Amino acid sequence: MDLLKRSSYYYDLPQELIAQTPSEKRDHSRLLCLDKENGNIQHKTFYDIIDSLKEGDCLVINDTKVIPARLFGKAEGREGEIETVLLSRMEDAEGETWKCLTRPGKKTRVGAKIVYSDELCGIVTDVLEGGIRVIRFEYNGVFNEILDRIGIMPLPPYITEKLKDRNRYQTVYAKTDGSAAAPTAGLHFTPELLKKAEEKGVEIVRVLLHVGLGTFRPVKEDDLSNHTMHAEYIKVTKEAADKINEIRAKGGRIIAVGTTSVRTLESATDDNGIVKPFEGETSIFIHPGVKFKCVDAMITNFHLPESTLIMLVCAFAGYDNTMAAYNEAVTKKYRFFSFGDAMLIQ
């Protein structure tokens, strides 16, 4: 098996196993527990995860908050609707300037003005590689409040049902606005479950990665060495880095909640295993052959075939273990993708 070939990460998934709605209760999703050393599998419920957490462990969560980043408007002087999805804010640009996806693209050339509402319009100032538009927004009022009123949660393309409660596409600990998609492994946690973990002596440390829609884009190159990851904004504070390093020095496990936390930690950790404070962009691509420097265990959902996310899981748990676990999950009719069930890999 050539682990640098995209096709090595394909698996058969019946359409009916793609979860269209969240589970009725966050922590009542199913949990597949995978031992990465021997490949053993156990089937549990997510709230049972507390039994796998130990005093002295560190649970690392990504506290990004999904913004209602999908807007519909009209370009001045042109017919028809324009869809805009905000990808990432350009920190060094004037005001609220964002990298965006627009559809149809031919109506949004440089200089085009898109009117979304009486309160909000956007001017296309640049077109980047991959057709990404740079849009400078003009608005009356508070930008995020306007988004809350007129924006729509940008659900992944494989979810076709309307989301009744948009808080269910948000973790209970979401804090910092900026994501175009949810860090979905965290959707299973409740305040009560997090409190139980803390009472057990588990440290909870927050990091930040703003998830871009590139996370849903398929890998087009069959040779993974030719694949370029999309860049995403991350932040690890000095306080978070110091706490993680302290826990590691004492022999505690670093348990990452989600692939976003994994990518953040591995981006901020040096070759000696020391986590450094970091703020900026990462385009780290973790696949088999890449060595982990920080993470000891991870909680994650079940990911798309041939995606960079299943490649990351294969790098962590081992290719054979991961693919066997996925086939078992299909056989046992687990629910897949963003609103689906979870895995604990340790």
Side-chain angles (χ1 to χ4, degrees):
M1 184 66 66
D2 186 347
L3 299 187
L4 280 177
K5 291 290 184 186
R6 180 193 67 205
S7 52
S8 298
Y9 300 90
Y10 178 80
Y11 66 93
D12 282 319
L13 180 68
Q15 189 76 17
E16 64 268 20
L17 297 186
I18 300 174
Q20 294 296 315
T21 57
S23 61
E24 189 174 338
K25 294 183 179 178
R26 286 180 184 267
D27 60 355
H28 280 51
S29 296
R30 295 167 75 186
L31 179 69
L32 186 150
C33 299
L34 172 63
D35 186 324
K36 65 186 177 77
E37 299 305 320
N38 57 29
N40 286 347
I41 292 171
Q42 293 180 296
H43 301 284
K44 299 185 178 183
T45 304
F46 193 82
Y47 54 67
D48 294 323
I49 203 164
I50 196 70
D51 299 329
S52 298
L53 302 178
K54 305 170 188 172
E55 182 178 357
D57 282 345
C58 178
L59 202 61
V60 180
I61 59 176
N62 176 13
D63 67 2
T64 187
K65 190 173 185 180
V66 186
I67 58 173
R70 195 172 174 214
L71 300 168
F72 290 91
K74 290 195 173 181
E76 282 191 345
R78 290 183 175 269
E79 296 293 322
E81 196 169 53
I82 302 250
E83 178 184 4
T84 303
V85 179
L86 282 61
L87 297 179
S88 61
R89 189 173 185 271
M90 299 185 71
E91 302 293 333
D92 55 351
E94 175 190 348
E96 291 292 345
T97 300
W98 289 70
K99 292 179 183 177
C100 303
L101 293 176
T102 61
R103 190 168 58 181
K106 65 177 183 285
K107 293 184 181 180
T108 51
R109 297 189 177 97
V110 171
K113 181 177 181 180
I114 310 168
V115 179
Y116 301 102
S117 74
D118 293 340
E119 303 170 284
L120 182 68
C121 68
I123 310 293
V124 179
T125 62
D126 200 0
V127 178
L128 307 179
E129 188 178 350
I132 291 172
R133 266 60 178 173
V134 177
I135 298 180
R136 186 184 74 251
F137 290 96
E138 298 175 352
Y139 52 95
N140 297 314
V142 179
F143 184 72
N144 283 347
E145 290 178 1
I146 296 169
L147 283 187
D148 278 340
R149 283 195 292 275
I150 70 171
I152 299 168
M153 284 293 191
L155 293 179
Y158 48 74
I159 294 176
T160 55
E161 290 195 24
K162 190 172 180 181
L163 182 62
K164 292 178 181 176
D165 176 6
R166 68 184 188 182
N167 284 328
R168 291 305 308 275
Y169 195 57
Q170 205 80 268
T171 63
V172 298
Y173 46 76
K175 182 181 177 184
T176 307
D177 286 327
S179 269
T184 54
L187 297 178
H188 304 284
F189 281 96
T190 63
E192 296 76 19
L193 195 53
L194 291 167
K195 185 180 179 185
K196 281 184 183 179
E198 290 184 306
E199 289 171 349
K200 197 170 182 179
V202 175
E203 289 273 3
I204 297 175
V205 174
R206 293 170 176 257
V207 297
L208 180 68
L209 181 146
H210 286 324
V211 188
L213 284 188
T215 194
F216 302 119
R217 283 182 167 174
V219 177
K220 293 182 178 178
E221 302 284 351
D222 195 41
D223 183 345
L224 301 189
S225 59
N226 294 327
H227 176 68
T228 302
M229 289 287 285
H230 59 285
E232 292 169 311
Y233 172 84
I234 67 172
K235 184 176 182 180
V236 178
T237 64
K238 183 178 185 303
E239 180 185 19
D242 288 348
K243 177 57 72 174
I244 293 167
N245 290 329
E246 177 190 331
I247 291 167
R248 295 196 81 205
K250 292 178 180 176
R253 296 185 303 166
I254 307 304
I255 305 169
V257 179
T259 57
T260 61
S261 296
V262 172
R263 294 181 67 238
T264 303
L265 289 171
E266 295 299 320
S267 296
T269 303
D270 68 18
D271 290 338
N272 297 316
I274 304 299
V275 181
K276 305 283 190 178
F278 182 88
E279 181 174 5
E281 287 192 332
T282 182
S283 53
I284 189 172
F285 180 20
I286 301 175
H287 54 78
V290 174
K291 301 297 182 187
F292 286 79
K293 299 177 287 188
C294 180
V295 176
D296 300 303
M298 68 180 293
I299 299 160
T300 187
N301 280 18
F302 293 93
H303 304 294
L304 278 74
E306 298 186 345
S307 66
T308 61
L309 303 181
I310 192 173
M311 293 167 192
L312 183 153
V313 175
C314 285
F316 186 72
Y319 176 84
D320 291 339
N321 288 344
T322 301
M323 300 312 284
Y326 268 62
N327 288 329
E328 173 88 349
V330 170
T331 301
K332 299 285 188 183
K333 298 193 183 312
Y334 273 67
R335 302 168 79 237
F336 279 66
F337 305 165
S338 294
F339 285 142
D341 296 315
M343 291 179 75
L344 169 64
I345 307 168
Q346 59 181 344

